């Protein structure tokens, strides 16, 4: 009790004694603001729940998500010990949903590792170097921005072949340009600051300046954008799955599950509806959290 | 105050929605059909080779001989030709043309038109041209081999004495459609013999003519005012492209359409208690099969193939997701074809499958990729095979792609297992025998990409001889027996696992009579329909 | 969104060319470069795609000889760059080639499918604007009230809903169960071929020709997909409106206006709202562009014969002429809208002067 009280005081101290304390303190204050935002906490709660579901899928699942039982297909929720019923091949929808959460989270994580990084590199190099490098890189960014996003993703998947990894690559390829824009804008404001001039005088090369000094300053605006984009990533991935270009059968990807169930929607509504609700829940959770985080990290509304 | 505005806007939107017309009924002289027609690329009979295209073509173009929709079992009947004679050496067929047939343009149908149409099909050399060129017609020799000495007579000279039924059956295919020479040539550009114009226009003597075609949307057909036969009851036929089975079902229930042609088993079941709607079953010629590439060492072990054939849950599939729409069929000729074989030597038997695998050189099986296109029923079948073959210890991966993608690999002989469907090109047993059981040169250089046996690298010099022998046998019963024998051998030795034959379940308003989709042999016939 | 780099580098040219000429030239060059790049990327994707366009033309029964013949006819034997060059020069002469899937000229196809998309996106945006703008304004005026919360929640749900799923469920409920709207497609079968196309947009054409039965039927088909799309732009537009309005309402002149005793209505609509008009137009233009390109899945669910569906189906058949043609149309619109909003800002926004 007393130690946690001490920790709290240390974090909320008006006069931080070290740089680290100041950093932790600002994070903690952000967390406090976030915690007071009910909707954001709801989002966080749902996300945590889904992530736990994904992690503990093998323990929570009541059936093998791939085991077919043609004799017991299209059972209604609750029938025959299947919480959410069974699909057209007699597979347990509840268990498939749990394993599907793994795929969604896996996709989001991969995209989040690739797209912002590409955007960061392109944007900072473009902003820092200026001149023709800037023109060329921004022209390329514009080209990708002018592309219909889903169609570009479709084209890439069609070219690379259907599958989760390729879907991730395709989504990343369509997602990076806005990050590049943000990173470039940040770089432009930082580039001529005294701080960077001082570092330059100390003899730091451009590579070192970009990676050690500009990147860290771009991170916070990127993080907000990424959190807000996560729902979009999930929806795009589900859209690809729905079109048969994402995860391949028998993988329980949620978009593919909707696609499988759509032909049964009139008589067996749950086959397509339940995975739809799952997609909705996870993207709403990301949106709620992202919205809350924006309030914390960037009080003024995003006008881009 | 602003909230009331929002509420008012929402309410007005909903109100307009409610006011929209609900259930409709189609006019009595108009037939409205929902179907998947996005495969139509052209209406030119010399080029058209798709299912939906054949449905149009059959109602627009007449042929020398044709099937009577109300008696398909009777086989080909006179149509534009009233009679024909075969020379003693069996190599010349002389047709005498009937009176009273007229093109939509008003021009009478003559032997010259028939000569032009058949020569044109050979000379254009489009994909379906093999149906004619297999009789020895070439662009160079058609002037001598396809000849109309006068307006009433057409003489075909073949390179071998084929079974007459074989030749005439081929002439009932879409490519045998007779076009209006005068109209077509008036629209020819750059020596294309009217190919570009006939893509989107029709010039036939059949009961209907195409008035409007919007690709992947709709085809509109009206009566041919000069049609020589009895005037059909349906004066206008509209085929609308509706992809989803559930949508077709809803439209049928609401009376928006007369016929729904792509109902899934679930939707057929859902319609069973709707009184105003009936379901008409019809056995079609389409077969569903898997085949193993013989370039794959493991899959060229006959015992492995035997194991795979035993480890397919034929009944389970046909009683669940294929229910009512595919029946178990394990020979390469569809039922109702001459020489069709009803025997099903393989049933789902894991013990037999495991025993066969244990006898093979690969008792532990191994990795197998199944190439399958992204169509629902095929994906379901593929997943079922993945499940049951997986129980044998095989490591199955599905490679899903669009039709073009999977086909590409198949033709390049790069697949392990291909899960495919095959529909007959013309209503003669040779159409399937000539592809499932014919591969005279298995080398890569041969490039016989049209032959399924070649695509699976299955070298069968002896069986190919037998297939060739069957097409020149003129005694029908002997010919049928030759095909049955061929299929029995094929069932046991081939890398093809034939599984199912299609039953088309068409949903329609109960007042619709005489809707015949065309059986295993031909396409739909609108002119006999009443409602 | 389009930025000003090119304009800056144009500054060193020297000779006394009027600024607006230089700027317009630079803009044209930028647009040309962007669209050329767009085409190049699309073209290359098509060429590396493991789908054989030849097979799409000739079907699976063709012989090797027929295959080779078509291969050469399609110009696939030429080096890639040569193929691209030929394509671009053809396009410059107005020849977009023939679709291998429909067998028709790509321009004919696009002239048929594009109005469908335009109609859907326009109505969708209209719904989004009519509902989204008032909602955003009210949410800002009554910040923190239940209606603000509602607006926020409505927006978040819009951002989180898989549109293809919502479309399916909407179709099931409003068409299947309630029967309030007509089903998929643009027009009931009996209403087809009645109205001679003028713009290709059925609602407008039927109204112009006074065919009200056709209009009602078309409306009953379009209202559900347009509402769905409208919901998405509503989410975006209301959110942006709210944040623009908040900025204005917090500014000094609003306080001054209030002090001067103007009514709340005048303050909100007369002053604050007037000032966000330009920003709002930009946002609406962007929302519109997004609907034009983002309606792919909606079109597929509702069997809407529009450009998105056309490009997607063509893509999966490797019918690259169609894909390229469609990409040019969408890319041009997107670039055009960006330039338009850029200009708007430059001419009207006091802050950017």
């Amino acid at each position: 009790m007393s130690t946690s009280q001490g920790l709290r005081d240390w974090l909320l101290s008006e006069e931080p004694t070290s740089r680290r304390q100041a950093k932790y303190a600002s994070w903690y204050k952000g967390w406090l603001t976030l915690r007071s935002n009910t909707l954001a906490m709801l989002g966080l709660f749902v996300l945590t729940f889904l992530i736990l579901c994904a992690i503990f899928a093998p323990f929570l699942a009541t059936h093998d998500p791939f085991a077919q039982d043609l004799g017991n297909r299209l059972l209604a929720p609750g029938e025959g010990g299947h919480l959410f019923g069974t699909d057209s091949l007699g597979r347990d929808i509840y268990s498939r949903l749990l394993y599907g959460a793994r795929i969604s989270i896996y996709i989001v994580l991969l995209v989040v590792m690739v797209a912002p990084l590409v955007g960061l590199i392109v944007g900072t190099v473009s902003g820092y170097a200026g001149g023709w490098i800037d023109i060329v890189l921004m022209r390329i960014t514009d080209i990708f921005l002018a592309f219909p996003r889903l169609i570009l993703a479709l084209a890439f998947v069609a070219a690379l072949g259907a599958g989760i990894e390729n879907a991730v690559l395709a989504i990343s390829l369509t997602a990076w340009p806005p990050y590049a824009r943000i990173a470039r804008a940040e770089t432009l404001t930082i580039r001529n600051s005294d701080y960077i001039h001082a570092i330059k005088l100390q003899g730091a090369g451009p590579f070192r300046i970009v990676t050690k000094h500009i990147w860290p300053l771009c991170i916070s605006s990127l993080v907000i954008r990424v959190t807000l984009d996560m729902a979009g990533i999930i929806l795009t991935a589900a859209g690809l799955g729905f079109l048969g270009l994402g995860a391949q059968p028998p993988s329980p990807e949620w978009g593919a599950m909707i696609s499988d169930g759509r032909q049964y929607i009139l008589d067996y509504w749950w086959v397509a509806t339940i995975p739809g609700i799952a997609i909705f829940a996870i993207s709403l959770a990301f949106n709620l959290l992202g919205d809350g985080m924006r309030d914390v990290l960037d009080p003024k509304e995003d006008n881009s | 105050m602003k909230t009331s505005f929002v509420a008012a806007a929402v309410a007005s939107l909903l109100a307009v929605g409610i006011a929209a017309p609900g259930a409709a009924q189609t006019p009595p002289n108009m037939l409205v059909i929902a179907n998947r027609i996005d495969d139509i690329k052209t209406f030119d009979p010399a080029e058209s080779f798709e299912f939906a295209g054949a449905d149009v073509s059959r109602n627009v173009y007449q042929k020398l001989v044709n099937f009577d929709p109300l008696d398909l079992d009777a086989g080909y009947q006179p149509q534009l030709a009233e009679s024909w004679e075969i020379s003693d050496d069996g190599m010349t067929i002389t047709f005498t043309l009937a009176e009273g047939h007229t093109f939509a343009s008003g021009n009478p149908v003559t032997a010259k038109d028939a000569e032009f149409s058949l020569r044109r099909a050979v000379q254009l050399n489009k994909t379906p041209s093999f149906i004619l060129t297999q009789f020895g017609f070439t662009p160079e020799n058609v002037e001598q081999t396809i000849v109309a000495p006068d307006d009433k007579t057409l003489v075909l000279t073949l390179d071998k004495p084929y079974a007459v039924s074989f030749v005439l059956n081929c002439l009932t295919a879409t490519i045998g459609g007779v076009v209006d020479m005068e109209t077509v040539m008036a629209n020819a550009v750059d020596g294309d013999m009217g190919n570009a114009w006939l893509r989107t226009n029709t010039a036939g003597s059949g009961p209907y003519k195409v008035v409007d075609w919007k690709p992947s949307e709709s085809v509109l057909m009206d009566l041919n005012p000069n049609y020589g036969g009895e005037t059909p009851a349906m004066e206008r036929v509209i085929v609308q492209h509706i992809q989803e089975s559930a949508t077709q079902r809803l439209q049928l229930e609401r009376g928006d359409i007369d016929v729904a042609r792509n109902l899934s088993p679930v939707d057929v079941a859902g319609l069973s208690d709707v009184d105003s709607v009936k379901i008409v079953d019809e056995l079609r010629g389409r077969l569903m099969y898997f085949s193993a590439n013989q370039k794959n060492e493991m899959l060229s072990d006959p015992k492995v193939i035997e194991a795979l054939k035993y480890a397919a849950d034929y009944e389970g599939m046909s009683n669940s997701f294929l229910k009512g729409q595919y029946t178990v069929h394990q020979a390469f000729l569809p039922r109702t074809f001459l020489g069709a074989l009803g025997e099903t030597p393989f049933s789902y038997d894991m013990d037999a499958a495991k025993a066969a695998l244990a006898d093979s050189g690969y008792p532990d099986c191994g990795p197998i990729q199944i190439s399958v296109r992204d169509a629902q029923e095929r994906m379901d079948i593929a997943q079922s095979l993945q499940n049951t073959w997986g129980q044998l210890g095989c490591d199955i991966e599905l490679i899903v792609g669009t039709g073009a993608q999977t086909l590409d690999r198949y033709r390049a002989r790069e697949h392990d297992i291909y899960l495919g469907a095959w529909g007959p090109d013309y209503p003669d047993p040779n159409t399937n025998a000539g592809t499932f059981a014919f591969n005279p040169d298995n080398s890569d250089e041969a490039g016989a990409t049209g032959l399924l046996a070649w695509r699976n690298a299955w070298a069968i010099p002896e069986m190919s001889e037998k297939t060739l022998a069957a097409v020149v046998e003129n005694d029908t019963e002997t010919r049928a027996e030759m095909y049955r024998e061929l299929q029995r051998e094929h069932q046991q030795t081939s890398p093809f696992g034939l599984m199912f034959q299609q039953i088309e379940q068409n949903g329609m308003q109960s007042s619709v009579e005489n809707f015949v989709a065309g059986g295993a042999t031909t396409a739909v016939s609108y002119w006999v329909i009443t409602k | 969104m389009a930025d000003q780099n090119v304009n800056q580098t144009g500054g060193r040219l020297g000779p006394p060319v009027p600024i607006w000429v230089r700027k317009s030239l630079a803009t044209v060059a930028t647009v040309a470069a962007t669209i050329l790049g767009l085409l190049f990327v699309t073209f290359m994707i098509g060429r590396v795609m493991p789908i054989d366009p030849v097979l799409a033309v000739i079907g699976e029964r063709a012989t090797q000889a027929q295959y080779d013949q078509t291969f050469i006819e399609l110009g696939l034997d030429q080096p890639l760059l040569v193929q691209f060059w030929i394509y671009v020069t053809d396009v410059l002469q107005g020849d977009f080639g023939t679709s291998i899937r429909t067998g028709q000229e790509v321009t004919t196809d696009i002239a048929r499918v594009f109005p469908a998309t335009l109609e859907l996106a326009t109505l969708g945006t209209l719904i989004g604007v009519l509902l989204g703008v008032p909602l955003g304004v009210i949410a800002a005026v009554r910040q923190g009230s239940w209606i603000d919360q509602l607006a926020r929640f409505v927006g978040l749900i819009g951002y989180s809903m898989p549109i293809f799923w919502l479309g399916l469920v909407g179709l099931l409920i409003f068409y299947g169960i309630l029967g309030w709207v007509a089903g998929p497609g643009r027009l009931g079968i009996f209403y087809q071929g009645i109205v001679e196309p003028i713009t290709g947009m059925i609602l407008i054409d039927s109204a112009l020709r006074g065919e009200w039965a056709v209009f009602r039927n078309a409306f009953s088909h379009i209202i559900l997909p347009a509402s769905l799309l409208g919901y998405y732009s509503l989410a975006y537009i209301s959110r942006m409106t709210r944040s623009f309005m908040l900025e204005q309402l917090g500014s000094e002149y609003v306080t001054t206006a209030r002090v001067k005793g103007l009514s709340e209505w005048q303050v909100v609509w007369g002053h604050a709202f007037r000032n966000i008009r330009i920003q709002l137009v930009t946002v609406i233009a962007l929302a519109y562009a997004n609907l034009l390109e983002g309606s792919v899945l909606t079109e597929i669910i509702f069997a809407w014969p529009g450009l998105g569906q056309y490009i997607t189906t063509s893509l999966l058949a490797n019918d690259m002429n169609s894909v390229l043609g469609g990409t040019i149309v969408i890319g041009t619109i997107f670039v055009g809208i960006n330039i338009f909003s850029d200009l708007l800002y430059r001419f009207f926004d006091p802050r950017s002067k």
Side-chain angles (χ1 to χ4, degrees):
Chain A
M1 183 68 201
S2 67
T3 42
S4 80
Q5 193 59 46
L7 184 64
R8 193 180 145 86
D9 288 343
W10 180 73
L11 284 168
L12 292 177
S13 153
E14 291 292 323
E15 288 144 17
T17 52
S18 70
R19 198 190 238 193
R20 203 207 290 166
Q21 189 186 355
K23 198 154 104 186
Y24 288 148
S26 80
W27 285 0
Y28 183 66
K29 281 176 191 155
W31 163 244
L32 287 183
T33 327
L34 193 64
R35 215 177 57 179
S36 63
N37 183 330
T38 330
L39 285 179
M41 289 324 286
L42 181 70
L44 188 63
F45 174 77
V46 172
L47 264 186
T48 318
F49 174 74
L50 285 170
I51 291 171
L52 289 178
C53 282
I55 293 173
F56 296 108
F59 303 103
L60 296 169
T62 51
H63 294 77
D64 177 349
F66 303 108
Q68 300 176 10
D69 181 1
L70 290 179
N72 282 314
R73 58 199 290 270
L74 301 169
L75 292 183
E79 232 176 283
H82 298 281
L83 188 59
F84 290 151
T86 59
D87 71 1
S88 65
L89 292 170
R91 297 172 297 203
D92 182 55
I93 293 178
Y94 165 69
S95 308
R96 288 178 70 71
L97 218 51
L98 288 173
Y99 280 88
R102 291 185 157 195
I103 298 173
S104 290
I105 290 166
Y106 175 67
I107 290 176
V108 169
L109 285 181
L110 280 184
V111 174
V112 159
M113 280 194 288
V114 179
L117 192 68
V118 175
L120 188 66
I121 294 172
V122 173
T124 47
V125 167
S126 178
Y128 189 79
W132 64 268
I133 297 185
D134 185 28
I135 295 174
V136 170
L137 286 181
M138 280 300 111
R139 201 48 51 220
I140 295 176
T141 312
D142 275 350
I143 290 170
F144 278 87
L145 268 180
F147 245 112
R149 271 181 77 163
L150 187 61
I151 291 172
L152 182 62
L154 277 175
F156 274 111
V157 181
L160 299 169
I164 296 188
E165 279 76 13
N166 289 340
V168 165
L169 211 56
I171 297 170
S172 306
L173 277 167
T174 60
W176 67 268
Y179 301 117
R181 291 277 190 132
I182 294 173
R184 177 171 172 275
E186 294 277 338
T187 312
L188 286 180
T189 58
I190 306 166
R191 186 173 64 173
N192 294 321
S193 66
D194 296 342
Y195 165 64
I196 297 292
H197 281 304
I199 295 167
K200 253 191 212 164
L201 285 179
Q202 286 169 9
F207 180 77
R208 196 180 154 78
I209 294 177
V210 169
T211 53
K212 291 273 171 184
H213 300 282
I214 294 185
W215 281 16
L217 294 171
C218 296
I219 296 291
S220 89
S221 41
L222 282 184
V223 165
I224 300 171
R225 179 76 200 216
V226 165
T227 323
L228 285 169
D229 276 359
M230 286 198 178
I233 294 167
I234 288 185
L235 292 179
T236 312
L240 285 177
F242 180 72
L243 293 174
L245 292 168
Q248 293 303 295
S251 152
E253 199 273 324
W254 294 345
M257 283 171 75
I258 296 183
S259 172
D260 275 352
R262 73 200 279 211
Q263 60 163 325
Y264 303 108
I265 194 151
L266 290 178
D267 306 282
Y268 309 97
W269 56 269
W270 57 90
V271 185
T273 312
I274 291 177
I277 293 173
I279 296 176
F280 174 61
I282 193 169
S283 42
L284 184 64
F286 270 121
N287 271 329
L288 289 173
L289 185 66
D291 223 39
M293 274 176 72
R294 183 171 51 189
D295 288 349
V296 173
L297 292 171
D298 179 23
K300 79 175 187 336
E301 282 265 48
D302 167 25
N303 288 4
S304 70
Chain B
M1 65 198 164
K2 284 288 95 53
T3 43
S4 60
F5 167 75
V6 174
V10 172
S12 66
L13 282 175
L14 288 178
V16 178
I18 294 164
Q25 204 173 6
T26 59
N29 58 353
M30 195 195 280
L31 188 71
V32 182
I33 297 168
N35 192 9
R36 291 182 192 143
I37 55 165
D38 53 349
D39 61 344
I40 301 181
K41 286 198 279 264
T42 173
F43 295 130
D44 188 340
E47 192 176 8
S48 166
F49 207 46
E50 290 81 33
F51 290 105
D55 281 342
V56 173
S57 205
R58 176 156 166 83
N59 293 282
V60 168
Y61 293 105
Q62 293 186 304
K63 288 129 195 174
L64 290 170
V65 290
N66 214 336
F67 291 98
D68 176 358
L70 300 180
D71 189 9
L72 289 174
D73 294 341
Y76 50 80
Q77 304 290 318
Q79 192 173 41
L80 291 178
E82 63 182 21
S83 63
W84 52 86
E85 268 171 42
I86 293 84
S87 66
D88 291 340
D89 63 0
M91 289 175 53
T92 309
I93 307 178
T94 307
F95 294 92
T96 306
L97 268 80
E99 294 286 345
H101 291 284
T102 318
F103 289 111
S105 63
N107 298 330
V109 181
T110 70
K112 296 286 182 198
D113 293 300
E115 174 202 74
F116 169 74
S117 304
L118 296 181
R119 281 184 182 177
R120 183 178 173 275
V122 173
Q123 284 165 337
L124 282 176
N125 190 27
K126 299 295 183 186
T127 306
S129 65
F130 72 93
I131 297 173
L132 295 179
T133 55
Q134 60 187 340
F135 301 113
F137 304 128
T138 64
E140 292 75 34
N141 74 16
V142 284
E143 308 268 330
Q144 291 83 45
T145 51
I146 302 174
V147 182
D150 59 61
D151 278 357
K152 295 272 294 170
T153 316
L154 179 74
V155 184
L156 300 184
T157 311
L158 317 175
D159 65 344
K160 270 198 282 188
Y162 296 94
V164 181
S165 55
F166 175 34
V167 182
L168 295 186
N169 273 327
C170 286
L171 290 177
T172 68
T174 297
I175 199 167
V178 174
V179 301
D180 182 348
M181 175 165 69
E182 204 175 305
T183 312
V184 169
M185 285 315 282
N187 290 291
V189 278
D190 304 335
D192 74 343
M193 291 188 278
N195 179 239
W197 187 78
L198 277 180
R199 276 203 181 130
T200 50
N201 297 278
T202 57
S205 55
Y208 295 94
K209 59 179 181 183
V210 171
V211 181
D212 184 43
W213 169 46
K214 296 194 187 79
S216 303
E217 284 182 46
S218 61
V219 176
L220 186 92
M221 279 179 272
D222 275 348
L223 278 186
N224 164 10
N226 299 310
Y227 176 53
E230 205 177 309
T231 307
M234 296 297 117
E235 289 169 19
R236 171 170 278 198
V237 177
I238 303 176
V239 187
Q240 202 179 30
H241 176 69
I242 304 289
Q243 184 67 32
E244 299 283 327
S245 156
T247 310
Q248 294 194 2
R249 167 176 161 194
L250 285 174
Q251 288 180 314
L252 195 62
E253 279 179 12
R254 312 198 140 261
D256 291 347
I257 56 172
D258 296 310
V259 182
R261 297 202 56 186
N262 312 95
L263 295 173
S264 70
V266 173
D267 290 318
V268 167
L271 283 169
S272 62
D273 44 355
V274 178
D275 288 339
S276 61
V277 170
K278 66 180 178 185
I279 303 288
V280 176
D281 288 3
E282 204 174 328
L283 196 61
R284 300 302 305 266
R286 192 178 150 98
L287 303 174
M288 205 61 95
Y289 70 95
F290 68 82
S291 63
N293 190 348
Q294 297 302 288
K295 288 195 164 192
N296 179 315
E297 215 168 286
M298 180 176 86
L299 293 176
S300 64
D301 183 329
K303 280 289 174 190
V304 173
I305 298 294
E306 187 185 332
L308 297 182
K309 285 179 182 172
Y310 274 117
D313 190 359
Y314 305 96
E315 294 295 334
M317 287 188 265
S318 71
N319 287 327
S320 57
F321 52 81
L322 298 178
K323 194 175 179 67
Q325 311 213 314
Y326 280 90
T327 168
V328 177
H329 183 74
Q330 294 178 347
F332 65 69
L333 286 182
R335 254 167 268 175
T336 74
F337 261 57
L338 176 73
L341 184 70
E343 296 159 17
T344 53
F346 298 98
S347 56
Y348 182 41
D349 184 344
M350 282 313 271
D351 294 335
K354 282 180 180 151
L357 194 65
D359 281 355
S360 76
Y362 304 85
D364 301 322
C365 202
I368 300 177
Q369 295 185 331
I370 303 181
S371 280
V372 55
R373 58 173 293 185
D374 51 4
Q376 190 65 44
E377 64 205 8
R378 296 196 207 187
M379 299 267 282
D380 286 341
I381 295 173
Q383 291 189 61
S384 176
L385 290 177
Q386 182 180 38
N387 185 37
T388 51
W389 290 352
Q391 290 168 25
L392 282 180
C394 307
D395 177 16
I396 312 287
E397 187 189 351
L398 300 188
I399 308 291
V400 186
T402 62
Q405 278 172 323
T406 44
L407 195 53
D408 214 8
R409 274 195 297 273
Y410 193 24
R411 289 168 58 102
R413 317 214 266 192
E414 283 165 2
H415 61 292
D416 289 347
I417 295 277
Y418 181 81
L419 178 67
W422 182 266
D425 296 323
Y426 51 87
D428 186 86
N430 188 55
T431 185
N432 283 5
T435 191
F436 279 102
F438 181 67
N439 182 18
D441 179 356
N442 193 39
S443 66
D444 286 338
E445 295 72 40
T449 50
L451 304 182
L452 295 182
W454 183 86
R455 288 186 197 167
N456 289 291
W458 187 39
I460 37 166
E462 282 170 27
M463 192 181 273
S464 300
E465 286 302 319
K466 291 183 193 166
T467 302
L468 279 183
V471 296
V472 292
E473 174 55 56
N474 243 316
D475 181 81
T476 306
E477 194 31 56
T478 315
R479 193 168 177 233
E481 189 47 43
M482 288 168 91
Y483 281 117
R484 281 193 282 270
E485 204 44 57
L486 205 54
Q487 288 174 89
R488 284 192 192 100
E489 184 186 343
H490 193 268
Q491 281 176 329
Q492 295 304 329
T493 62
S494 79
F496 290 94
L498 283 135
M499 296 183 286
F500 306 107
Q501 181 175 353
Q502 187 191 10
I503 301 169
E504 188 171 317
Q505 295 190 297
N506 289 304
M508 58 197 83
Q509 304 298 340
S510 39
S511 59
V512 175
E513 296 295 337
N514 292 342
F515 184 91
V516 183
T521 45
T522 183
V524 71
S525 314
Y526 299 130
W527 65 90
V528 291
I529 294 173
T530 60
K531 69 170 197 178
Chain C
M1 264 165 127
D3 49 79
Q4 288 84 33
N5 308 311
V6 179
N7 308 343
Q8 285 158 8
T9 53
R12 259 179 290 123
L13 286 175
V17 185
I19 268 199
W20 66 269
V21 172
R22 237 164 39 205
K23 279 198 172 172
S24 338
L25 281 180
T27 311
V28 170
T30 313
V31 172
T34 308
I35 291 181
L36 201 66
L38 198 65
L39 281 184
F40 186 72
V41 174
T42 320
F43 193 86
M44 285 306 149
I45 290 176
R47 288 300 179 260
V48 299
M49 198 131 75
I51 303 176
D52 193 334
V54 179
L55 283 184
V57 178
I58 56 175
E60 75 165 292
R61 315 287 216 264
T63 61
Q64 194 61 39
Q66 284 163 335
Y67 181 96
D68 295 340
Q69 186 189 336
T70 313
F71 189 81
I72 293 169
E73 277 170 18
L74 292 176
L76 296 171
D77 53 332
Q78 306 275 345
L80 275 184
L81 284 173
V82 176
Q83 291 182 35
F84 183 63
W85 172 248
I86 293 174
Y87 178 78
V88 171
T89 45
D90 282 352
V91 165
L92 289 177
Q93 290 159 18
D95 176 10
F96 286 71
T98 310
S99 158
I100 53 178
R101 198 168 53 84
T102 65
Q104 305 198 341
E105 296 269 315
V106 170
T107 39
T108 317
D109 278 346
I110 289 182
R112 194 183 63 249
V113 297
F114 184 57
T117 298
L118 200 61
E119 188 171 34
L120 187 61
T122 309
L123 192 61
T125 310
L126 214 59
I127 294 174
V129 171
L130 286 182
L131 299 179
V133 171
L135 191 63
V137 170
I138 298 167
V141 172
R142 307 224 179 122
Q143 196 187 359
S145 71
W146 67 269
I147 196 155
D148 188 20
Q149 296 296 338
L150 178 80
R152 184 177 194 153
F153 208 66
V154 163
L156 283 176
I157 289 180
Y159 283 127
S160 313
M161 197 71 92
I163 194 164
F164 49 97
W165 179 75
L166 196 60
L168 274 178
V169 176
L171 211 50
L172 176 66
I173 294 175
F174 292 105
Y175 174 62
I177 299 175
L178 298 173
W180 288 1
V181 300
R186 278 182 91 186
L187 200 55
I189 295 168
F190 319 114
Y191 298 96
Q192 279 174 6
I194 297 179
V195 175
E196 194 65 23
I198 306 170
T199 61
M201 285 179 272
I202 297 177
L203 284 179
I204 296 180
D205 290 355
S206 56
L208 286 178
R209 302 231 185 243
E211 295 279 0
W212 296 106
V214 176
F215 182 86
R216 278 165 59 110
N217 184 270
F219 187 79
S220 145
H221 273 94
I222 201 176
I223 188 63
L224 189 58
S227 303
L228 272 187
L229 289 177
Y231 183 41
Y232 281 77
S233 48
L234 179 154
Y236 176 62
I237 291 173
S238 65
R239 184 179 197 148
M240 287 295 141
T241 312
R242 177 180 177 273
S243 81
F244 294 153
M245 280 301 281
L246 278 181
E247 209 175 303
Q248 294 293 329
L249 291 172
S251 64
E252 271 177 35
Y253 77 92
V254 169
T255 323
T256 325
R258 283 201 174 114
V259 170
K260 280 203 289 192
L262 291 178
S263 74
E264 189 62 20
W265 178 269
Q266 276 172 315
V267 170
V268 171
W269 294 101
H271 286 81
F273 188 72
R274 275 178 82 88
N275 280 333
I276 67 162
R277 280 178 311 174
I278 305 301
Q279 285 169 296
L280 211 51
V281 169
T282 316
V283 163
I284 291 168
L286 264 179
Y288 191 44
N290 279 328
L291 284 199
L292 279 176
E293 67 150 34
S295 54
V296 177
L297 289 170
T298 315
E299 286 183 5
I300 289 172
I301 292 287
F302 287 92
W304 195 261
L307 190 58
Q309 193 179 48
Y310 178 72
I311 297 181
T312 312
T313 339
S314 304
L315 187 69
L316 295 179
N318 202 356
D319 180 0
M320 285 321 278
N321 279 343
S322 314
V323 177
L324 288 163
T327 311
I328 295 180
V329 173
I330 288 193
T332 313
I333 291 173
F334 215 78
V335 174
I337 284 185
N338 275 330
I339 292 175
F340 166 74
S341 53
D342 240 28
L343 288 178
L344 258 186
Y345 261 107
R346 218 166 284 163
F347 287 108
F348 294 103
D349 192 26
R351 282 173 304 178
S352 65
K353 268 186 183 158

